[in-house]
Amino acid sequence: MRLSDTIFALASGAGRAAISLLRLSGPDSALVLTRLAGRLPRPRQASLRRLRHPETGELLDEALLLWFPAPRSYTGEDSAELHLHGGRAVLEGVSAALLACGARPAEPGEFTRRAFLNGRLDLTAAEGIADLIDAETAAQRRQALRQAGGALAARYAGWGERLTRLLAHQEASIEFAEDGIPNDLDDEVRQGAATLAAEIAAHLADGGRGERLREGLWAAIIGAPNAGKSSLLNALAGREAAIVSARAGTTRDVVEVRLDLGGVPVLLADTAGLRDTPDEIEAEGVRRARRRAEEADLVIALFAADAAPDAETLALLRPGTVVVANKVDLAAPPASIGGIAPIALSARDGTGLDALRSLLEREAQSRAGLSEEASLTRPRHRAALGEAVDWLEEAQRAPLPELAAESLRAALRSLGRLTGRVGVEQVLDVVFGDFCIGK
Ligand SMILES: Nc1nc2c(c(=O)[nH]1)N(C=O)[C@@H](CNc1ccc(C(=O)N[C@@H](CCC(=O)O)C(=O)O)cc1)CN2
Ligand SMILES: Nc1nc2c(ncn2[C@@H]2O[C@H](COP(=O)(O)OP(=O)(O)OP(=O)(O)O)[C@@H](O)[C@H]2O)c(=O)[nH]1
């Protein structure tokens, strides 16, 4: 991970493609580029050049080059991009030439790690970039862009500055006390710590929406055998993902489909019909269905309108469960099931499907949608902020100003680990460990 190394990696996807993008960064970038292309292109302007192996002189490709002199580059170092023809042999030939020039393959996330080490972004912004690459829905993209743009960084840096001021006041109060000067700085610090702790606690008490949006919601359809669960899953997925049959007890294991519900990624599970059964395999399916219902962020309880609501499913209704009466092409839906007005649906002819989809979108967004303010998105954030709150509370209880100062310093360290101002090598490995190559 030495910054004196010059690194390279494929930044575009692997496999056959029209064009491949090779990234190069580090102190020898200018030298390497000159040896391959004859001379340096004009900074930040695309230039078409022949690339040759520096030792054999063999022509490797005719490519577009971009040269970014430091510090105006993604990493903040001298960097370059080679836009090559996408063939495997082209990539191999150019990679071999780069190795011959002394560059080495980059570790996953190493470009962004260098950008971080050069002070171009904080750790939360770096995580936002990783999330942007993984984003599958519009809401995930918006959250990731906001974080990559420094929204969390700004918030946490603001708290860090306030904390630094509190600490300075606390230290001043200690000195006044030594000089025998009466002062009310202690009270001010206690008040400031309480306000800050409350603000961070409010940010933490967001129901985990940012984390849910990043990871996706878990949803499950539960109901009696033959209620039409598989039919509903297929209707929502728009394809025949689960087997539908007139025989009760068809679905035995959990069948999952990925849905985009109003920008929120949802993993929707079809489960085995809930009933007592002597069949061991089906009984295991029923156990799995119950477990899914317990774990799910969003539960859809499905009843058949032409039958009395079954006790097993009724027993699993909770506040927030979406209750649906299916098969309304056969019978009118009841006004209430378990005290909740059901959505009327016919999975067979599509009646009520749009209304159900809108309701599910609203429910998904209320659990995981974007909030007004940037939300924390990872357990790492939650843990560090939780620690900061604990230390701030400790500071308020401290019997001596010296102890209060110590707790404030610990709170500041927690925030510092979050943004990377306290540069602990371990934290960096956690954050950059799951980046992809070329980022
Ligand atoms: N070809 C290509 N496309 C790309 C990237 C890239 O590196 N290369 N990006 C990579 O993630 C993203 C764009 N992000 C970038 C962020 C900063 C700089 C950069 O050179 N910044 C300099 C100059 C800014 C300016 O002139 O306005 C700087 O901030 O000093 C480049 C790309 C998405 N698309
Ligand atoms: N008339 C009518 N029949 C439906 C409707 N939805 C599903 N069915 C039928 O009901 C039967 C059971 O449907 P499934 O979707 O397999 O039901 P399930 O709840 O997944 O059943 P299990 O796998 O046994 O738990 C099939 O014959 C479906 O065609 C509907 O809205 N109207």
Side-chain angles (χ1 to χ4, degrees):
M1 292 286 167
R2 298 208 332 261
L3 286 176
S4 55
D5 289 351
T6 295
I7 57 173
F8 70 93
L10 182 68
S12 53
R16 189 163 169 267
I19 292 164
S20 301
L21 175 56
L22 255 184
R23 249 185 175 174
L24 177 70
S25 187
D28 287 340
S29 294
L31 194 74
V32 171
L33 207 56
T34 310
R35 290 190 68 193
L36 257 71
R39 61 193 161 91
L40 272 187
R42 275 213 225 136
R44 316 183 61 79
Q45 272 190 22
S47 322
L48 184 63
R49 290 295 159 80
R50 289 208 173 85
L51 302 184
R52 295 183 180 279
H53 194 285
E55 284 151 7
T56 64
E58 189 186 0
L59 182 64
L60 301 172
D61 195 11
E62 188 162 20
L64 270 186
L65 304 186
L66 282 172
W67 162 234
F68 301 95
R72 285 183 65 199
S73 69
Y74 177 76
T75 56
E77 308 174 320
D78 276 354
S79 297
E81 287 182 7
L82 294 79
H83 297 234
L84 310 172
H85 287 97
R88 215 176 62 156
V90 175
L91 185 63
E92 278 172 9
V94 175
S95 297
L98 292 169
L99 285 172
C101 293
R104 70 156 167 86
E107 307 281 338
E110 196 171 0
F111 290 92
T112 307
R113 190 177 182 130
R114 287 181 174 208
F116 164 75
L117 291 173
N118 286 318
R120 305 188 63 82
L121 33 72
D122 87 325
L123 283 187
T124 63
E127 289 168 331
I129 290 175
D131 291 349
L132 190 55
I133 291 169
D134 289 334
E136 288 181 353
T137 69
Q140 282 186 316
R141 180 190 69 226
R142 290 185 196 110
Q143 170 163 283
L145 264 177
R146 190 147 81 173
Q147 191 173 324
L152 282 184
R155 202 151 190 214
Y156 299 159
W159 286 339
E161 279 160 26
R162 274 163 66 187
L163 201 40
T164 306
R165 274 200 300 278
L166 288 178
L167 183 58
H169 283 169
Q170 188 64 73
E171 279 164 352
S173 135
I174 294 168
E175 279 184 21
F176 286 148
E178 279 168 4
D179 297 343
I181 305 169
N183 69 82
D184 47 18
L185 276 176
D186 277 342
D187 286 342
E188 255 176 57
V189 170
R190 232 184 294 280
Q191 188 54 48
T195 312
L196 188 54
E199 241 174 83
I200 301 177
H203 176 65
L204 281 167
D206 69 344
R209 55 193 308 125
E211 290 141 299
R212 279 181 173 158
L213 178 54
R214 191 175 92 81
E215 280 164 16
L217 282 186
W218 279 38
I221 308 174
I222 59 167
N226 256 346
K229 298 179 295 299
S230 302
S231 306
L232 172 57
L233 178 100
N234 291 345
L236 287 171
R239 63 187 171 90
E240 303 302 303
I243 300 170
V244 170
S245 94
R247 183 197 298 170
T250 302
T251 303
R252 289 164 162 229
D253 207 345
V254 175
V255 178
E256 296 175 333
V257 296
R258 300 170 77 82
L259 300 178
D260 177 341
L261 287 179
V264 179
V266 173
L267 191 67
L268 177 66
D270 177 20
T271 62
L274 301 171
R275 70 168 167 187
D276 265 337
T277 167
D279 181 317
E280 254 179 58
I281 298 175
E282 192 186 347
E284 175 57 25
V286 172
R287 275 193 291 278
R288 290 183 185 193
R290 290 182 187 284
R291 203 177 317 138
R292 265 310 169 103
E294 252 170 50
E295 292 168 353
D297 302 301
L298 179 58
V299 174
I300 304 167
L302 194 65
F303 297 88
D306 64 341
D310 61 296
E312 279 87 351
T313 308
L314 281 174
L316 294 180
L317 298 188
R318 302 274 178 277
T321 302
V322 171
V323 177
V324 180
N326 188 32
K327 308 198 186 185
V328 295
D329 54 303
L330 298 182
S336 152
I337 298 178
I340 303 173
I343 296 262
L345 175 77
S346 168
R348 173 160 294 176
D349 69 19
T351 303
L353 191 60
D354 286 343
L356 176 59
R357 196 189 294 274
S358 311
L359 176 67
L360 292 176
E361 288 180 359
R362 283 197 303 279
E363 293 289 333
Q365 285 168 343
S366 81
R367 287 163 175 77
L370 282 183
S371 62
E372 295 285 304
E373 304 209 16
S375 306
L376 61 114
T377 56
R378 292 176 189 238
R380 191 182 83 79
H381 306 162
R382 191 167 286 287
L385 292 168
E387 269 176 36
V389 171
D390 289 347
W391 283 118
L392 283 168
E393 278 162 4
E394 189 81 22
Q396 293 167 65
R397 285 194 300 265
L400 293 172
E402 287 79 1
L403 292 176
E406 205 38 57
S407 298
L408 292 176
R409 261 190 290 274
L412 198 52
R413 270 197 301 277
S414 302
L415 281 184
R417 269 197 301 278
L418 183 50
T419 58
R421 268 167 48 118
V422 176
V424 189
E425 206 46 33
Q426 254 173 335
V427 182
L428 299 191
D429 286 339
V430 171
V431 170
F432 293 105
D434 48 49
F435 265 71
C436 50
I437 292 271
K439 247 300 154 193

